[in-house]
Amino acid sequence: MDKPQEVEKKIGQLQNRQKILLNRKRSEEHRARTHRLIGRGAILEAVFPAAVNMEGKEVKAFLIALSHLPGARELAERTPKNEGEK
């Protein structure tokens, strides 16, 4: 094989490796997001058992209503990150 063909082959191999790594990264990010969402959903259901029987739109409306209660915004901003995930 002459040099230009070897270089082209190596470029193709590196591009394929890059695609594999990007797919792996996306997959890991997807798994992490899924894990986070499941965990937070479990917390929501544990704190508000009525949420188990609610549809998605009802849960959203419930959380929006809670967010409008006096002091809710300040509490959310004051709460240290990851405090509730012990």
Side-chain angles (χ1 to χ4, degrees):
M1 211 183 279
D2 60 337
K3 289 287 182 189
Q5 288 177 333
E6 289 176 17
V7 170
E8 290 294 324
K9 182 178 178 183
K10 186 68 174 175
I11 289 172
Q13 290 172 340
L14 291 172
Q15 287 172 337
N16 286 337
R17 180 71 178 146
Q18 181 182 30
K19 288 178 189 176
I20 290 168
L21 292 172
L22 289 173
N23 285 339
R24 185 178 298 158
K25 181 183 177 204
R26 274 192 294 271
S27 179
E28 289 172 4
E29 289 170 351
H30 179 74
R31 266 194 298 276
R33 180 176 187 270
T34 299
H35 180 75
R36 186 180 70 248
L37 292 174
I38 290 169
R40 290 181 181 170
I43 292 167
L44 173 68
E45 290 182 356
V47 175
F48 299 106
V52 173
N53 298 319
M54 292 181 185
E55 296 292 326
K57 290 180 181 180
E58 294 172 314
V59 172
K60 182 178 179 179
F62 175 69
L63 293 174
I64 289 171
L66 285 178
S67 74
H68 290 117
L69 291 175
R73 174 168 285 170
E74 293 78 16
L75 179 63
E77 291 171 354
R78 187 176 73 224
T79 304
K81 201 171 190 131
N82 298 327
E83 179 184 48
E85 298 179 345
K86 291 181 182 176

